[in-house]
Every structure is written in C-alpha cells, then in structure tokens.
Amino acid sequence: MSAPTGDIGLIGLAVMGQNLILNMNDHGYTVVAYNRTVEKVDQFLAHEAKGTNIQGARSIEELCAKLKRPRKVMLLVKAGDAVDAFIAQLLPYLEAGDIIIDGGNSHFPDTIRRVKELESKGFLYVGAGVSGGEEGARYGPSIMPGGSPAAWPHLKSIFQDISAKTASGEPCCDWVGEGGSGHYVKMVHNGIEYGDMQILSEAYSLLKDVLGLSHEEMGNIFEEWNKGELDSFLVEITRDIVRFNDEDGTPLVAKILDKAGQKGTGKWTAISALDLGTPVTLIGEAVFARCLSALKQERVHASTILKSHAQAQFTGDKQQFVEDIRQAVYAAKLISYAQGFMELREAAKEQGWNLNYGGIALMWRGGCIIRSRFLGDITNAFRKNPGLQNLLLDSFFTDAIHRAIPSFRRVVSQAVLLGVPVPCFSSALSFYDGYRSAKLPANLLQAQRDYFGAHTYEIEGQEGKWVHTNWTGRGGRVASSTYNA
Ligand code: 6PG
C-alpha cells in the first residue's frame, strides 16, 4: 500500500463538514472524508468535491489508513452520544500521539471528560468550537480550539489558514487553553449571541410598536447603525431581514410566528453562570425571553385578560428616541460582553484554565455570528491590560457607557411606562446600577436569613466574624452551620 497522503480526516458530511473540507482543500490540505452513511461520501466526491484533492474513505479503518502521522481526525457530528460512538470506533485504528478533534457544539463537561480519557490512553483530544454557519465554514469561520496542548502545533497551520482573518490579517483562531476551554468559550460565544439577538429584537419592537415605523424605515435605521459603533454581522442581517419582502410584497418577518427555538447552548451558558455564582443576567434573560415567547398559546389567552394600564402612546421626540434606542443597544451590549468575560474569568479560575481574554475577543472579531467592530475595542482593552477586572472598568468602555447611560435610562423607562417588554435592556441597566453600587440592600437580606434560619451575618468593618442575633427573644443562641452555594 502506498504511503498515506491525508493531512486530516473529517467525519460527518452534513453542510458544515462538507464546507470545512472544501475550505481546507482550498488551502492546499489533503482531506480524507468519511460519513456513517457511506453513499454520502460517494455523492460528495462526485459533486461538491469533484476536481479537488479530497479523498474519500468507505470505512473508519480506511480513513485512518489514509492519514499521515500523527493522524488528525475531526468530528463534525451531532453533539452527545454520536461523538463518544465515533471516538470508540476510531481508537482501534489510532496510535499514541494521534489527535481527535470535535468540531461540534459539545457541552464542555463532556469535552473535559473526553480529554482526560483520551490522554490517559496516550491520544490527544481537542474540543474546537466552530462558529460562522455554513458560509463561515466554507470561507473562514472563527475556530476556538482547546484540550491537549501537545495537539496544537500539529493543528495550528490548518486551523489558522482556514479561519477568518481580521482586517489587519490576524487569524480568528488561536489556542484557547486546556480541557474543555475551547468548547466553553464557544458556549459563552453562543450565550452572547442569544443576548445580542434579543437586544436587537427589543430594539425592533420599540421602533415598530412605540414609534410605529415601517419595515422600510427600520431597514434604513439598521443600515445607519451598521455604519457606526454597532457595525456587526447581526445588525447587518437584521437590516436585510426587515427589508425582505414576501411574494405578496409585504415584509416576511412580520408573518413569522413569534415563538423562538433554541438548541441549548444559551441555556448552558446561563446554567454555568449560576453554578459559578456570576451575575450573567443579560444572557439569562435572553434565554428566558425565548422560553416566554414559546408560551404562545398561553400568551394569546392572557392577552385577552391581563391589561397593561400603561401610558397610551409615546409623545416625545421620535428622532431623539431612535438615537436613544441605538445607544441602549450599545450600552446593553457593553454590559452583556462585560458579563460574558466575567463568566469566562470565573470558569478559568474554577477549572484552572489560563485564558487569554484579548485572544478570545480577537477570535470573535471575524468569522463568527457575534463578529463586530466592537470586538476590536475589547481586544484592545485586554491587550492594554490582560489582568483587567471588568471590561466596564477599561477607560474606553467606562467613557462609552457613561455616554450611553442617559439614553439607556430614557429607553428603559419609556418601555416600562408604555408596557413594552424589554427584559434584556432592563436587566442590563439594573446590573449596571447594582455593579456601580458600593452599598446594596443585601444587609436586610442577611438579617432576614439570620432571623428565620439563624444563618448568621457579618457587621460592616468586622468581616470574617459571623454573628447570630436572637431577633425575637424566642429562638436559641445556636447558629446554623454555614453553607454557601
Ligand atoms: C454559530 C452558532 C451556532 C448555533 C446556532 C443555533 O456560532 O455558528 O452559534 O453554533 O448552534 O446558531 O443556535 P440556537 O438554535 O440555540 O439558536
């Protein structure tokens, strides 16, 4: 048998897999393609991959035999059991030092487990988040790889060659860190994606329902927004979506059922934030907003019973309010990204990952769904100060939020008065007001806990000394044991 020539193998010929293979081929790599339903391999070779250097494999054994060592096999299959099943099938045909890469949206605890298991057997394992949808996969995704560090030198050139590039030519792919950190970063990316989408939906609802603007007018507004500090993929597609007319000449988006779906990555981000005790409120609200939207029937029924008792209509300066909404979008995004990076920092602490926050912002700068000009500013902030405690404390962002806050308050209060739901806007503003408060009412909360459960409290200035008071004269003097979630 002739010497193997494959640079990398790829399992899973759905659209993302096919496009990644074609992208790698464009960059001069020899890819060996395999799919569980083998006919798909033949079809791919006969059509999309016709005339390329792409090779096909009709079995896992053949796939592995066609790869140069150390073998690199990338899985682009459904997250969950399918990943474990393919790993089990691959292992008999791999040797120590060979690398398996999972390019799907796997849950990070699974990746942590797989890295450990595979490393204990002498293999290398990488969980790589890939973002950018079909087009990104084909022409330049954002790739977030983490896992066995020894794998990175073997993957670096392929991944960085096929990834998106920033305007200054930097690849939107770099080594994230150990264990499940690559998939964790991708998960937070998706959580932020949920937040950005909900923020824009709230802006859309204010423009449409409060100001009564037409879809054409909104298209022009999103177009303007996309020229400034909100310049981003999601604003760009929102502009195109609101301008898109159905065959009858009316806006298609207005006909779409207002019931959001979700595959779970935003929920995982919120759950992890709760586990870490990090107040990632905006993403949490974005997930719940999707859940509330899904209660369509219930909402339709409730709408016939529950009244708003809100102000009837907006009476202010429309032009100014459009600008206020733009500023509110920017402020909410600032707070959401600050929260996202807070979550990354806490997870890194808990997991012992050494994360490069500027590098993460750079990976998100291009190729992925949340790509935006703004991520360039975040990269700069972390490059200037890698130990930055919170994004809002970087002078560029402190100035930016200070400029936006008056508008943000006007938008949230108008929405409240008019009875328009803005869960992400309002929770972001509350977070901002809480984060900048030296004093919060948690003193009362601590007293209440001690009153009914003898949970003890500390006196300001005497931290570390836990005190219990017999508030009623009836309770005992014994405090409950301390338990912190
Ligand atoms: C990406 C996206 C992608 C995500 C889908 C669906 O980065 O390319 O985040 O990975 O899975 O957009 O997400 P939901 O169905 O949960 O909205």
Side-chain angles (χ1 to χ4, degrees):
M1 198 178 148
S2 55
T5 53
D7 292 307
I8 185 164
L10 199 140
I11 298 179
L13 294 183
V15 67
M16 289 293 283
Q18 290 197 9
N19 282 355
L20 274 181
I21 294 174
L22 293 167
N23 186 352
M24 288 173 182
N25 176 78
D26 285 350
H27 286 87
Y29 297 99
T30 303
V31 192
V32 187
Y34 174 75
N35 195 75
R36 195 175 48 175
T37 314
V38 182
E39 293 72 54
K40 248 193 159 164
V41 179
D42 300 330
Q43 282 164 14
F44 179 55
L45 292 180
H47 297 101
E48 294 85 353
K50 200 172 170 199
T52 67
N53 284 331
I54 297 164
Q55 302 178 12
R58 314 198 91 251
S59 68
I60 296 267
E61 183 175 7
E62 188 189 344
L63 168 80
C64 296
K66 284 184 164 172
L67 296 175
K68 293 189 269 190
R69 296 215 52 208
R71 297 181 186 87
K72 298 172 264 307
V73 183
M74 186 159 184
L75 303 173
L76 269 208
V77 299
K78 199 164 178 280
D81 294 343
V83 175
D84 289 310
F86 275 113
I87 293 173
Q89 287 179 50
L90 279 164
L91 291 190
Y93 305 106
L94 298 182
E95 291 165 273
D98 286 349
I99 306 163
I100 298 179
I101 308 123
D102 170 15
N105 265 335
S106 288
H107 198 195
F108 73 95
D110 288 334
T111 307
I112 293 176
R113 167 178 60 79
R114 290 171 187 143
V115 170
K116 273 198 202 127
E117 280 171 14
L118 281 258
E119 283 185 350
S120 74
K121 294 178 180 154
F123 303 104
L124 302 175
Y125 192 80
V126 172
V130 179
S131 176
E134 294 172 29
E135 216 171 290
R138 181 66 186 89
Y139 300 108
S142 157
I143 311 177
M144 299 148 249
S148 310
W152 181 232
H154 302 288
L155 301 176
K156 190 174 177 197
S157 61
I158 305 185
F159 280 8
Q160 292 195 335
D161 285 353
I162 65 162
S163 74
K165 309 287 178 297
T166 65
S168 54
E170 289 177 285
C172 296
C173 169
D174 206 347
W175 186 244
V176 174
E178 306 84 346
S181 59
H183 275 140
Y184 194 89
V185 166
K186 173 62 174 34
M187 177 193 80
V188 173
H189 162 282
N190 280 26
I192 290 176
E193 170 186 308
Y194 277 49
D196 281 0
M197 292 166 79
Q198 176 64 24
I199 291 168
L200 289 173
S201 301
E202 290 175 18
Y204 164 72
S205 129
L206 292 169
L207 293 171
K208 182 165 68 69
D209 301 330
V210 172
L211 297 182
L213 300 184
S214 68
H215 282 76
E216 195 189 329
E217 287 169 314
M218 288 190 281
N220 297 340
I221 287 170
F222 287 123
E223 174 158 337
E224 276 312 303
W225 289 4
N226 202 38
K227 291 179 186 157
E229 55 198 3
L230 290 181
D231 174 0
S232 61
F233 172 72
L234 285 170
V235 171
E236 187 185 313
I237 67 164
T238 305
R239 172 200 68 196
D240 295 347
I241 288 168
V242 298
R243 281 179 171 169
F244 191 95
N245 283 338
D246 204 359
E247 279 155 11
D248 63 5
T250 65
L252 175 61
V253 66
K255 298 180 181 176
I256 294 179
L257 184 67
D258 53 332
K259 218 174 143 179
Q262 50 185 318
K263 295 203 194 79
T265 46
K267 180 183 81 178
W268 293 343
T269 314
I271 290 174
S272 176
L274 288 170
D275 284 340
L276 293 165
T278 312
V280 184
T281 56
L282 192 143
I283 295 174
E285 282 296 346
V287 176
F288 286 131
R290 288 195 189 194
C291 299
L292 181 57
S293 81
L295 304 178
K296 172 76 175 179
Q297 260 192 337
E298 229 176 295
R299 288 190 288 115
V300 170
H301 175 61
S303 73
T304 63
I305 300 171
L306 302 175
K307 301 199 174 0
S308 77
H309 290 295
Q311 262 179 19
Q313 59 191 25
F314 177 78
T315 51
D317 176 342
K318 280 192 171 188
Q319 202 68 36
Q320 174 62 44
F321 200 56
V322 171
E323 172 56 13
D324 284 346
I325 298 171
R326 187 189 72 80
Q327 297 268 9
V329 169
Y330 188 57
K333 268 177 77 92
L334 271 174
I335 290 161
S336 179
Y337 285 65
Q339 292 182 341
F341 279 92
M342 285 166 77
E343 181 167 1
L344 287 175
R345 190 176 290 281
E346 282 311 305
K349 225 189 275 171
E350 188 184 83
Q351 301 286 350
W353 297 330
N354 184 17
L355 300 184
N356 167 358
Y357 303 101
I360 291 168
L362 188 69
M363 279 183 252
W364 293 346
R365 175 71 188 82
C368 63
I369 305 297
I370 64 169
R371 63 184 179 262
S372 64
R373 180 196 289 192
F374 168 71
L375 276 157
D377 300 326
I378 299 182
T379 306
N380 293 341
F382 281 113
R383 281 190 170 161
K384 205 167 68 189
N385 177 8
L388 184 66
Q389 192 187 20
N390 189 298
L391 209 50
L392 297 172
L393 303 179
D394 169 77
S395 57
F396 176 87
F397 288 110
T398 308
D399 291 348
I401 194 94
H402 283 167
R403 273 197 307 276
I405 279 293
S407 291
F408 200 15
R409 290 198 193 286
R410 283 196 290 273
V411 168
V412 172
S413 43
Q414 273 296 339
V416 171
L417 290 172
L418 295 167
V420 178
V422 284
C424 280
F425 279 162
S426 55
S427 71
L429 184 54
S430 282
F431 170 86
Y432 177 74
D433 284 330
Y435 189 70
R436 58 170 199 85
S437 292
K439 187 102 184 158
L440 286 171
N443 49 334
L444 174 62
L445 210 140
Q446 284 295 79
Q448 290 164 334
R449 293 178 67 237
D450 191 54
Y451 185 109
F452 63 68
H455 293 294
T456 73
Y457 57 85
E458 296 164 293
I459 290 287
E460 197 151 5
Q462 295 175 32
E463 285 83 354
K465 194 174 142 210
W466 294 91
V467 191
H468 168 56
T469 295
N470 182 353
W471 296 87
T472 59
R474 291 189 304 275
R477 285 183 300 120
V478 185
S480 77
S481 59
T482 305
Y483 165 77
N484 284 318

